[in-house]
Amino acid sequence: QVQLVESGGGLVQAGGSLRLSCTASGSIFRLDPMGWYRQAPGKERELVASISSGGSTYYTDSVKGRFTISRSNAKRTLYLQMNSLKPEDTAMYYCAARLTAWYWGQGTQVTVSS
Protein backbone atom coordinates (compact mmCIF):
# COMPACT_ATOMS: atom_id res chain seq x y z
CA GLN A 1 0.00 0.00 0.00
CA VAL A 2 1.29 3.45 -0.94
CA GLN A 3 -0.02 6.68 0.53
CA LEU A 4 0.55 9.93 -1.33
CA VAL A 5 0.07 13.36 0.22
CA GLU A 6 0.10 16.50 -1.91
CA SER A 7 0.89 20.01 -0.74
CA GLY A 8 1.77 23.38 -2.18
CA GLY A 9 -1.45 24.44 -3.84
CA GLY A 10 -3.00 27.83 -3.34
CA LEU A 11 -4.18 31.05 -4.90
CA VAL A 12 -1.80 32.90 -7.20
CA GLN A 13 -2.08 35.67 -9.77
CA ALA A 14 -1.59 34.97 -13.44
CA GLY A 15 2.11 34.90 -14.26
CA GLY A 16 3.01 33.65 -10.82
CA SER A 17 4.56 30.39 -9.68
CA LEU A 18 3.77 27.51 -7.37
CA ARG A 19 5.60 24.31 -6.49
CA LEU A 20 3.54 21.25 -5.72
CA SER A 21 4.96 18.41 -3.65
CA CYS A 22 3.78 14.84 -3.27
CA THR A 23 5.32 12.84 -0.45
CA ALA A 24 4.99 9.07 -0.35
CA SER A 25 4.62 6.91 2.74
CA GLY A 26 7.57 4.78 1.70
CA SER A 27 10.32 4.48 -0.86
CA ILE A 28 9.43 5.77 -4.30
CA PHE A 29 12.30 3.97 -6.00
CA ARG A 30 10.02 1.38 -7.56
CA LEU A 31 7.14 3.74 -8.35
CA ASP A 32 7.12 3.94 -12.12
CA PRO A 33 5.83 6.20 -13.40
CA MET A 34 4.83 9.01 -11.09
CA GLY A 35 2.72 11.84 -12.38
CA TRP A 36 0.55 14.86 -11.84
CA TYR A 37 -3.03 14.97 -13.06
CA ARG A 38 -5.51 17.81 -12.84
CA GLN A 39 -9.24 18.18 -13.02
CA ALA A 40 -11.08 21.44 -13.52
CA PRO A 41 -14.80 21.80 -12.74
CA GLY A 42 -16.89 20.22 -15.47
CA LYS A 43 -13.87 18.73 -17.22
CA GLU A 44 -12.27 15.32 -17.33
CA ARG A 45 -9.13 14.55 -15.38
CA GLU A 46 -6.05 15.00 -17.57
CA LEU A 47 -2.42 14.01 -17.29
CA VAL A 48 -0.27 17.09 -16.83
CA ALA A 49 3.19 15.56 -16.51
CA SER A 50 4.85 12.28 -15.64
CA ILE A 51 8.31 10.99 -14.84
CA SER A 52 9.71 7.49 -14.97
CA SER A 53 12.03 5.91 -12.44
CA GLY A 54 14.81 6.55 -14.95
CA GLY A 55 13.97 10.23 -15.22
CA SER A 56 12.19 10.31 -18.57
CA THR A 57 9.52 13.00 -18.60
CA TYR A 58 6.30 13.74 -20.40
CA TYR A 59 4.33 16.99 -20.50
CA THR A 60 0.98 17.78 -21.99
CA ASP A 61 1.30 20.43 -24.68
CA SER A 62 -0.41 23.19 -22.72
CA VAL A 63 2.26 23.19 -19.97
CA LYS A 64 5.43 22.59 -21.97
CA GLY A 65 8.04 25.21 -21.20
CA ARG A 66 6.18 26.35 -18.07
CA PHE A 67 6.02 23.29 -15.78
CA THR A 68 8.83 21.02 -14.63
CA ILE A 69 8.34 17.64 -13.01
CA SER A 70 11.03 16.08 -10.86
CA ARG A 71 11.43 13.44 -8.19
CA SER A 72 13.70 12.89 -5.21
CA ASN A 73 14.00 9.28 -4.19
CA ALA A 74 15.91 10.31 -1.07
CA LYS A 75 13.09 12.59 0.05
CA ARG A 76 10.35 10.23 -1.21
CA THR A 77 8.86 13.22 -2.99
CA LEU A 78 7.53 14.13 -6.41
CA TYR A 79 7.52 17.80 -7.41
CA LEU A 80 5.80 19.97 -9.98
CA GLN A 81 7.29 23.42 -10.47
CA MET A 82 4.69 25.59 -12.17
CA ASN A 83 5.76 28.92 -13.66
CA SER A 84 3.94 31.51 -15.77
CA LEU A 85 0.65 30.25 -14.44
CA LYS A 86 -2.52 31.01 -16.38
CA PRO A 87 -6.16 31.10 -15.28
CA GLU A 88 -6.75 27.96 -17.34
CA ASP A 89 -4.34 26.10 -15.05
CA THR A 90 -6.92 26.40 -12.28
CA ALA A 91 -7.84 22.88 -11.15
CA MET A 92 -7.48 20.28 -8.46
CA TYR A 93 -4.08 18.68 -8.91
CA TYR A 94 -3.56 15.03 -8.05
CA CYS A 95 -0.40 13.03 -7.58
CA ALA A 96 -0.47 9.46 -8.89
CA ALA A 97 2.01 6.63 -8.95
CA ARG A 98 2.12 3.07 -10.17
CA LEU A 99 3.60 0.12 -8.31
CA THR A 100 1.56 -3.03 -8.86
CA ALA A 101 -1.52 -0.82 -8.97
CA TRP A 102 -2.15 2.89 -9.32
CA TYR A 103 -2.22 5.00 -6.17
CA TRP A 104 -3.64 8.50 -5.85
CA GLY A 105 -3.33 11.41 -3.46
CA GLN A 106 -6.24 13.43 -2.16
CA GLY A 107 -5.48 16.45 -4.33
CA THR A 108 -4.42 20.04 -3.81
CA GLN A 109 -6.29 23.02 -5.24
CA VAL A 110 -4.55 25.47 -7.54
CA THR A 111 -6.40 28.68 -8.37
CA VAL A 112 -4.94 31.24 -10.76
CA SER A 113 -6.61 34.64 -10.82
CA SER A 114 -6.54 36.88 -13.87
Side-chain angles (χ1 to χ4, degrees), residues 91-104:
M92 184 72 78
Y93 283 71
Y94 298 90
C95 170
R98 185 178 65 187
L99 186 57
T100 55
W102 279 95
Y103 296 92
W104 294 83

mmCIF file with all atom_site columns, all heavy atoms in Angstrom, residues 91-104:
data_model
loop_
_atom_site.group_PDB
_atom_site.id
_atom_site.type_symbol
_atom_site.label_atom_id
_atom_site.label_alt_id
_atom_site.label_comp_id
_atom_site.label_asym_id
_atom_site.label_entity_id
_atom_site.label_seq_id
_atom_site.pdbx_PDB_ins_code
_atom_site.Cartn_x
_atom_site.Cartn_y
_atom_site.Cartn_z
_atom_site.occupancy
_atom_site.B_iso_or_equiv
_atom_site.pdbx_formal_charge
_atom_site.auth_seq_id
_atom_site.auth_comp_id
_atom_site.auth_asym_id
_atom_site.auth_atom_id
_atom_site.pdbx_PDB_model_num
ATOM 1   N N   . ALA A 1 91  ? -7.316 24.250 -11.239 1.00 0.00 ? 91  ALA A N   1
ATOM 2   C CA  . ALA A 1 91  ? -7.838 22.885 -11.153 1.00 0.00 ? 91  ALA A CA  1
ATOM 3   C C   . ALA A 1 91  ? -7.432 22.278 -9.824  1.00 0.00 ? 91  ALA A C   1
ATOM 4   O O   . ALA A 1 91  ? -6.592 22.830 -9.103  1.00 0.00 ? 91  ALA A O   1
ATOM 5   C CB  . ALA A 1 91  ? -7.296 22.027 -12.296 1.00 0.00 ? 91  ALA A CB  1
ATOM 6   N N   . MET A 1 92  ? -7.990 21.111 -9.551  1.00 0.00 ? 92  MET A N   1
ATOM 7   C CA  . MET A 1 92  ? -7.483 20.277 -8.460  1.00 0.00 ? 92  MET A CA  1
ATOM 8   C C   . MET A 1 92  ? -6.379 19.422 -9.062  1.00 0.00 ? 92  MET A C   1
ATOM 9   O O   . MET A 1 92  ? -6.581 18.779 -10.105 1.00 0.00 ? 92  MET A O   1
ATOM 10  C CB  . MET A 1 92  ? -8.590 19.397 -7.904  1.00 0.00 ? 92  MET A CB  1
ATOM 11  C CG  . MET A 1 92  ? -8.167 18.571 -6.705  1.00 0.00 ? 92  MET A CG  1
ATOM 12  S SD  . MET A 1 92  ? -7.941 19.577 -5.232  1.00 0.00 ? 92  MET A SD  1
ATOM 13  C CE  . MET A 1 92  ? -9.641 19.819 -4.755  1.00 0.00 ? 92  MET A CE  1
ATOM 14  N N   . TYR A 1 93  ? -5.227 19.443 -8.437  1.00 0.00 ? 93  TYR A N   1
ATOM 15  C CA  . TYR A 1 93  ? -4.076 18.685 -8.912  1.00 0.00 ? 93  TYR A CA  1
ATOM 16  C C   . TYR A 1 93  ? -3.872 17.446 -8.049  1.00 0.00 ? 93  TYR A C   1
ATOM 17  O O   . TYR A 1 93  ? -3.850 17.535 -6.820  1.00 0.00 ? 93  TYR A O   1
ATOM 18  C CB  . TYR A 1 93  ? -2.829 19.558 -8.897  1.00 0.00 ? 93  TYR A CB  1
ATOM 19  C CG  . TYR A 1 93  ? -2.783 20.537 -10.042 1.00 0.00 ? 93  TYR A CG  1
ATOM 20  C CD1 . TYR A 1 93  ? -3.653 21.622 -10.083 1.00 0.00 ? 93  TYR A CD1 1
ATOM 21  C CD2 . TYR A 1 93  ? -1.890 20.381 -11.108 1.00 0.00 ? 93  TYR A CD2 1
ATOM 22  C CE1 . TYR A 1 93  ? -3.645 22.520 -11.143 1.00 0.00 ? 93  TYR A CE1 1
ATOM 23  C CE2 . TYR A 1 93  ? -1.863 21.275 -12.167 1.00 0.00 ? 93  TYR A CE2 1
ATOM 24  C CZ  . TYR A 1 93  ? -2.748 22.343 -12.181 1.00 0.00 ? 93  TYR A CZ  1
ATOM 25  O OH  . TYR A 1 93  ? -2.732 23.221 -13.233 1.00 0.00 ? 93  TYR A OH  1
ATOM 26  N N   . TYR A 1 94  ? -3.707 16.309 -8.725  1.00 0.00 ? 94  TYR A N   1
ATOM 27  C CA  . TYR A 1 94  ? -3.555 15.033 -8.049  1.00 0.00 ? 94  TYR A CA  1
ATOM 28  C C   . TYR A 1 94  ? -2.207 14.401 -8.400  1.00 0.00 ? 94  TYR A C   1
ATOM 29  O O   . TYR A 1 94  ? -1.790 14.407 -9.555  1.00 0.00 ? 94  TYR A O   1
ATOM 30  C CB  . TYR A 1 94  ? -4.657 14.057 -8.458  1.00 0.00 ? 94  TYR A CB  1
ATOM 31  C CG  . TYR A 1 94  ? -6.049 14.497 -8.104  1.00 0.00 ? 94  TYR A CG  1
ATOM 32  C CD1 . TYR A 1 94  ? -6.801 15.254 -8.993  1.00 0.00 ? 94  TYR A CD1 1
ATOM 33  C CD2 . TYR A 1 94  ? -6.610 14.155 -6.882  1.00 0.00 ? 94  TYR A CD2 1
ATOM 34  C CE1 . TYR A 1 94  ? -8.082 15.660 -8.674  1.00 0.00 ? 94  TYR A CE1 1
ATOM 35  C CE2 . TYR A 1 94  ? -7.895 14.554 -6.552  1.00 0.00 ? 94  TYR A CE2 1
ATOM 36  C CZ  . TYR A 1 94  ? -8.621 15.307 -7.459  1.00 0.00 ? 94  TYR A CZ  1
ATOM 37  O OH  . TYR A 1 94  ? -9.891 15.716 -7.135  1.00 0.00 ? 94  TYR A OH  1
ATOM 38  N N   . CYS A 1 95  ? -1.607 13.824 -7.401  1.00 0.00 ? 95  CYS A N   1
ATOM 39  C CA  . CYS A 1 95  ? -0.402 13.027 -7.578  1.00 0.00 ? 95  CYS A CA  1
ATOM 40  C C   . CYS A 1 95  ? -0.827 11.579 -7.778  1.00 0.00 ? 95  CYS A C   1
ATOM 41  O O   . CYS A 1 95  ? -1.755 11.108 -7.108  1.00 0.00 ? 95  CYS A O   1
ATOM 42  C CB  . CYS A 1 95  ? 0.469  13.173 -6.339  1.00 0.00 ? 95  CYS A CB  1
ATOM 43  S SG  . CYS A 1 95  ? 1.863  12.065 -6.238  1.00 0.00 ? 95  CYS A SG  1
ATOM 44  N N   . ALA A 1 96  ? -0.162 10.872 -8.670  1.00 0.00 ? 96  ALA A N   1
ATOM 45  C CA  . ALA A 1 96  ? -0.466 9.458  -8.894  1.00 0.00 ? 96  ALA A CA  1
ATOM 46  C C   . ALA A 1 96  ? 0.826  8.710  -9.132  1.00 0.00 ? 96  ALA A C   1
ATOM 47  O O   . ALA A 1 96  ? 1.800  9.265  -9.672  1.00 0.00 ? 96  ALA A O   1
ATOM 48  C CB  . ALA A 1 96  ? -1.402 9.297  -10.085 1.00 0.00 ? 96  ALA A CB  1
ATOM 49  N N   . ALA A 1 97  ? 0.822  7.444  -8.767  1.00 0.00 ? 97  ALA A N   1
ATOM 50  C CA  . ALA A 1 97  ? 2.009  6.631  -8.954  1.00 0.00 ? 97  ALA A CA  1
ATOM 51  C C   . ALA A 1 97  ? 1.608  5.179  -9.131  1.00 0.00 ? 97  ALA A C   1
ATOM 52  O O   . ALA A 1 97  ? 0.605  4.725  -8.579  1.00 0.00 ? 97  ALA A O   1
ATOM 53  C CB  . ALA A 1 97  ? 2.942  6.775  -7.753  1.00 0.00 ? 97  ALA A CB  1
ATOM 54  N N   . ARG A 1 98  ? 2.408  4.476  -9.912  1.00 0.00 ? 98  ARG A N   1
ATOM 55  C CA  . ARG A 1 98  ? 2.123  3.071  -10.166 1.00 0.00 ? 98  ARG A CA  1
ATOM 56  C C   . ARG A 1 98  ? 3.187  2.180  -9.540  1.00 0.00 ? 98  ARG A C   1
ATOM 57  O O   . ARG A 1 98  ? 4.390  2.411  -9.717  1.00 0.00 ? 98  ARG A O   1
ATOM 58  C CB  . ARG A 1 98  ? 2.048  2.792  -11.676 1.00 0.00 ? 98  ARG A CB  1
ATOM 59  C CG  . ARG A 1 98  ? 1.631  1.366  -12.021 1.00 0.00 ? 98  ARG A CG  1
ATOM 60  C CD  . ARG A 1 98  ? 1.529  1.191  -13.514 1.00 0.00 ? 98  ARG A CD  1
ATOM 61  N NE  . ARG A 1 98  ? 2.820  1.345  -14.160 1.00 0.00 ? 98  ARG A NE  1
ATOM 62  C CZ  . ARG A 1 98  ? 2.987  1.375  -15.488 1.00 0.00 ? 98  ARG A CZ  1
ATOM 63  N NH1 . ARG A 1 98  ? 1.927  1.311  -16.280 1.00 0.00 ? 98  ARG A NH1 1
ATOM 64  N NH2 . ARG A 1 98  ? 4.186  1.511  -15.988 1.00 0.00 ? 98  ARG A NH2 1
ATOM 65  N N   . LEU A 1 99  ? 2.715  1.177  -8.807  1.00 0.00 ? 99  LEU A N   1
ATOM 66  C CA  . LEU A 1 99  ? 3.598  0.121  -8.307  1.00 0.00 ? 99  LEU A CA  1
ATOM 67  C C   . LEU A 1 99  ? 3.071  -1.160 -8.948  1.00 0.00 ? 99  LEU A C   1
ATOM 68  O O   . LEU A 1 99  ? 3.318  -1.404 -10.118 1.00 0.00 ? 99  LEU A O   1
ATOM 69  C CB  . LEU A 1 99  ? 3.572  0.077  -6.779  1.00 0.00 ? 99  LEU A CB  1
ATOM 70  C CG  . LEU A 1 99  ? 4.549  -0.871 -6.096  1.00 0.00 ? 99  LEU A CG  1
ATOM 71  C CD1 . LEU A 1 99  ? 5.985  -0.577 -6.491  1.00 0.00 ? 99  LEU A CD1 1
ATOM 72  C CD2 . LEU A 1 99  ? 4.402  -0.820 -4.589  1.00 0.00 ? 99  LEU A CD2 1
ATOM 73  N N   . THR A 1 100 ? 2.301  -1.932 -8.229  1.00 0.00 ? 100 THR A N   1
ATOM 74  C CA  . THR A 1 100 ? 1.564  -3.030 -8.859  1.00 0.00 ? 100 THR A CA  1
ATOM 75  C C   . THR A 1 100 ? 0.165  -2.566 -9.234  1.00 0.00 ? 100 THR A C   1
ATOM 76  O O   . THR A 1 100 ? -0.523 -3.203 -10.033 1.00 0.00 ? 100 THR A O   1
ATOM 77  C CB  . THR A 1 100 ? 1.460  -4.236 -7.918  1.00 0.00 ? 100 THR A CB  1
ATOM 78  O OG1 . THR A 1 100 ? 0.873  -3.816 -6.698  1.00 0.00 ? 100 THR A OG1 1
ATOM 79  C CG2 . THR A 1 100 ? 2.841  -4.813 -7.655  1.00 0.00 ? 100 THR A CG2 1
ATOM 80  N N   . ALA A 1 101 ? -0.246 -1.466 -8.661  1.00 0.00 ? 101 ALA A N   1
ATOM 81  C CA  . ALA A 1 101 ? -1.521 -0.817 -8.970  1.00 0.00 ? 101 ALA A CA  1
ATOM 82  C C   . ALA A 1 101 ? -1.269 0.684  -8.957  1.00 0.00 ? 101 ALA A C   1
ATOM 83  O O   . ALA A 1 101 ? -0.181 1.132  -8.581  1.00 0.00 ? 101 ALA A O   1
ATOM 84  C CB  . ALA A 1 101 ? -2.581 -1.194 -7.938  1.00 0.00 ? 101 ALA A CB  1
ATOM 85  N N   . TRP A 1 102 ? -2.273 1.432  -9.368  1.00 0.00 ? 102 TRP A N   1
ATOM 86  C CA  . TRP A 1 102 ? -2.148 2.888  -9.318  1.00 0.00 ? 102 TRP A CA  1
ATOM 87  C C   . TRP A 1 102 ? -2.617 3.382  -7.952  1.00 0.00 ? 102 TRP A C   1
ATOM 88  O O   . TRP A 1 102 ? -3.624 2.944  -7.430  1.00 0.00 ? 102 TRP A O   1
ATOM 89  C CB  . TRP A 1 102 ? -2.994 3.531  -10.411 1.00 0.00 ? 102 TRP A CB  1
ATOM 90  C CG  . TRP A 1 102 ? -2.314 3.523  -11.738 1.00 0.00 ? 102 TRP A CG  1
ATOM 91  C CD1 . TRP A 1 102 ? -2.449 2.596  -12.730 1.00 0.00 ? 102 TRP A CD1 1
ATOM 92  C CD2 . TRP A 1 102 ? -1.350 4.474  -12.206 1.00 0.00 ? 102 TRP A CD2 1
ATOM 93  N NE1 . TRP A 1 102 ? -1.646 2.919  -13.790 1.00 0.00 ? 102 TRP A NE1 1
ATOM 94  C CE2 . TRP A 1 102 ? -0.952 4.068  -13.501 1.00 0.00 ? 102 TRP A CE2 1
ATOM 95  C CE3 . TRP A 1 102 ? -0.791 5.637  -11.673 1.00 0.00 ? 102 TRP A CE3 1
ATOM 96  C CZ2 . TRP A 1 102 ? -0.017 4.787  -14.268 1.00 0.00 ? 102 TRP A CZ2 1
ATOM 97  C CZ3 . TRP A 1 102 ? 0.128  6.345  -12.430 1.00 0.00 ? 102 TRP A CZ3 1
ATOM 98  C CH2 . TRP A 1 102 ? 0.506  5.917  -13.707 1.00 0.00 ? 102 TRP A CH2 1
ATOM 99  N N   . TYR A 1 103 ? -1.882 4.355  -7.425  1.00 0.00 ? 103 TYR A N   1
ATOM 100 C CA  . TYR A 1 103 ? -2.219 4.996  -6.167  1.00 0.00 ? 103 TYR A CA  1
ATOM 101 C C   . TYR A 1 103 ? -2.376 6.490  -6.407  1.00 0.00 ? 103 TYR A C   1
ATOM 102 O O   . TYR A 1 103 ? -1.655 7.072  -7.240  1.00 0.00 ? 103 TYR A O   1
ATOM 103 C CB  . TYR A 1 103 ? -1.139 4.731  -5.112  1.00 0.00 ? 103 TYR A CB  1
ATOM 104 C CG  . TYR A 1 103 ? -1.033 3.276  -4.755  1.00 0.00 ? 103 TYR A CG  1
ATOM 105 C CD1 . TYR A 1 103 ? -0.144 2.440  -5.436  1.00 0.00 ? 103 TYR A CD1 1
ATOM 106 C CD2 . TYR A 1 103 ? -1.828 2.729  -3.756  1.00 0.00 ? 103 TYR A CD2 1
ATOM 107 C CE1 . TYR A 1 103 ? -0.054 1.098  -5.119  1.00 0.00 ? 103 TYR A CE1 1
ATOM 108 C CE2 . TYR A 1 103 ? -1.742 1.388  -3.429  1.00 0.00 ? 103 TYR A CE2 1
ATOM 109 C CZ  . TYR A 1 103 ? -0.852 0.573  -4.126  1.00 0.00 ? 103 TYR A CZ  1
ATOM 110 O OH  . TYR A 1 103 ? -0.771 -0.756 -3.806  1.00 0.00 ? 103 TYR A OH  1
ATOM 111 N N   . TRP A 1 104 ? -3.317 7.090  -5.659  1.00 0.00 ? 104 TRP A N   1
ATOM 112 C CA  . TRP A 1 104 ? -3.640 8.502  -5.850  1.00 0.00 ? 104 TRP A CA  1
ATOM 113 C C   . TRP A 1 104 ? -3.610 9.256  -4.532  1.00 0.00 ? 104 TRP A C   1
ATOM 114 O O   . TRP A 1 104 ? -3.957 8.707  -3.481  1.00 0.00 ? 104 TRP A O   1
ATOM 115 C CB  . TRP A 1 104 ? -5.050 8.637  -6.439  1.00 0.00 ? 104 TRP A CB  1
ATOM 116 C CG  . TRP A 1 104 ? -5.164 8.089  -7.824  1.00 0.00 ? 104 TRP A CG  1
ATOM 117 C CD1 . TRP A 1 104 ? -5.352 6.790  -8.183  1.00 0.00 ? 104 TRP A CD1 1
ATOM 118 C CD2 . TRP A 1 104 ? -5.062 8.831  -9.040  1.00 0.00 ? 104 TRP A CD2 1
ATOM 119 N NE1 . TRP A 1 104 ? -5.377 6.671  -9.559  1.00 0.00 ? 104 TRP A NE1 1
ATOM 120 C CE2 . TRP A 1 104 ? -5.207 7.913  -10.102 1.00 0.00 ? 104 TRP A CE2 1
ATOM 121 C CE3 . TRP A 1 104 ? -4.868 10.176 -9.340  1.00 0.00 ? 104 TRP A CE3 1
ATOM 122 C CZ2 . TRP A 1 104 ? -5.156 8.305  -11.440 1.00 0.00 ? 104 TRP A CZ2 1
ATOM 123 C CZ3 . TRP A 1 104 ? -4.832 10.565 -10.674 1.00 0.00 ? 104 TRP A CZ3 1
ATOM 124 C CH2 . TRP A 1 104 ? -4.969 9.635  -11.703 1.00 0.00 ? 104 TRP A CH2 1
#
